[in-house]
Amino acid sequence: MLFVPVTLCMLLVVATIKSLHFYTDKTDQQLIYTPFTENTSSVGRRLLNSVLNAVVMIGVIVAMTVLLVFLYKYRCYKVIHGWLILSSLLLLFWFSFMYLSEVLKTYNVAMDYPTAGVLIWNFGAVGMACVHWKGPLALQQAYLIVVSALMALVFVKYLPEWSAWLILALVSVYDLVAVLSPKGPLRMLVETAQERNEPIFPALIYSSAMAWTTGPADGEPGRASDEEAEPSGRAAAAEDDDDEQEERGVKLGLGDFIFYSVLVGKAAAGGGDWNTTAACFVAILIGLCVTLLLLAIFKKALPALPISITFGLICYFATDSLARPFMDDLAAHHFYI
Amino acid sequence: MNLERVPNEEKLGLCRKYYLGGFAFLPFLWLVNVVWFFREAFVKPAYTEQLQIKTYVKRSALGLLLWVAVLTTWITIYQHYRAQWGEVGDYISFTIPLGIP
């Protein structure tokens, strides 16, 4: 049941990358999270810079996860709320505005400010209502998918090549550590939420069904979407409450959506070859399958990133360096197998 | 959220808030209102609040139609006459297509 949203997100990212050149245009502009440039003269220098970039990025992610857990533990719900609302405002309005303008430029369509304003205003406002407040479940899920895709696209555009792959690898390691080790921030987050009998930030997380609890929660559980790509990379099954009937839905963190899509996006942007993209796509879905299987066996929060990303990375590099030249050669010599 | 589990007064409150919200230049909110509460208003067996929900859904649908009409007219006019409006056309345009119109 998580296959459909993950597939949709990845499809959205790949379709955008293949049709809008904006997201693959070489730009010297980089995020402040990856301060070292990859436009260096020597390969060694480039490698060093990408490693440093990855370290900085992971450092930022670790810091933010720790901060989030800290705030949650000390019940600073208002701060968390504010932070999440600000992030979703940015994503729903600014990034979607950029996306709209790129789509229009690519298809050479004119649009006036009033119409664009109405469109973006509607998209953003309804998004905020659905994700942060109350709205139809399907629409909320759709918005979360779109928001993850937008975030992934930003990463695909602004992360330089080698740094991106290193970051993906390191973030899955971090995810593994953060969720499984006893002092890991994400594990502490899950445990604190379970102790207090609150749903775990229902909107940093995509849930395939609605959980319905009437547990007294101090403050509202924050409902907002993830912007800084926190790898709340855990899949957890909703708990059963004795008094209330609760829908059992599988949940997946938005960070997972984002990083899966970044992997597939980078695969699509890099070679331009469909073999590689399709291979990564399948690898990620298989990884997700395995993760869900493990979830059914262990019945506790598990990191969703490591398995899929590992398979994805292996597939990408294998296909790119081995399968692709092989296929090209076969095709060039009209040799069919 | 699942409307099945929500008590009727809350449904009414939700429908009303979506209806009122739509007045802030948000026809999309009205669309969501109509689609989401359609079954509640017209298909389900009657309950106390249903009449009011029906009115809200109908009015949302009306507002939506009005907005669609206005937007379609404006977009048609704009796309057709943009090139002829010269400077004013460019001023209100957010993307200007390349090539000869």
Side-chain angles (χ1 to χ4, degrees), chain A residues 71-72 75-82 84-85 131-134 196-203 213 215-224:
Chain A
L71 288 173
Y72 190 63
R75 298 174 191 267
C76 310
Y77 289 118
K78 292 246 184 273
V79 180
I80 298 183
H81 242 72
L84 291 175
I85 288 187
V131 165
H132 287 255
W133 187 53
K134 303 182 190 152
R196 297 182 193 169
N197 219 12
E198 286 168 4
I200 313 165
F201 289 131
T213 55
D218 323 25
E220 293 142 25
R223 301 179 63 108

Side-chain angles (χ1 to χ4, degrees), chain A residues 168-169 172 259-260 263 284 304-314:
Chain A
L168 279 171
S172 2
F259 283 113
Y260 291 163
L263 195 147
I284 289 184
L305 281 181
I307 304 180
S308 291
I309 300 273
T310 318
F311 278 2
L313 286 175
I314 295 177

Side-chain angles (χ1 to χ4, degrees), chain A residues 97 100-101 104-105 108-116 118 121-123 125-127 129-130 133-137 139-140 143 210 212 223 245-247, chain B residues 1-2 5-7 10 13-14 17-18 24-30 32 36 67 71 74-75 78-79 82 89-99:
Chain A
F97 180 70
L100 180 69
S101 69
L104 292 173
K105 278 188 209 157
N108 219 20
V109 173
M111 183 169 278
D112 51 314
Y113 280 115
T115 316
V118 167
W121 169 235
N122 272 275
F123 179 74
V126 178
C130 278
W133 187 53
K134 303 182 190 152
L137 182 66
L139 198 60
Q140 182 189 15
Y143 267 105
M210 203 49 215
W212 184 252
R223 301 179 63 108
Q245 266 235 328
E246 195 163 316
E247 301 245 349
Chain B
M1 58 185 305
N2 199 352
R5 305 281 183 78
V6 177
E10 223 178 290
L14 210 52
K17 290 199 182 117
Y18 267 72
F25 290 85
L26 290 170
F28 191 22
L29 214 54
W30 277 335
V32 172
W36 199 17
W67 261 99
L71 269 178
W74 165 245
I75 292 178
Y78 172 73
Q79 293 291 343
R82 181 189 55 84
D90 283 349
Y91 181 65
I92 56 172
S93 295
F94 139 62
T95 34
I96 304 178
L98 309 166

Side-chain angles (χ1 to χ4, degrees), chain A residues 144-167:
Chain A
L144 289 176
I145 294 175
V146 168
V147 148
S148 311
L150 283 175
M151 193 68 216
L153 284 169
V154 168
F155 277 148
V156 168
K157 181 171 171 69
Y158 290 111
L159 285 181
E161 298 291 329
W162 294 7
S163 312
W165 299 111
L166 280 172
I167 288 174

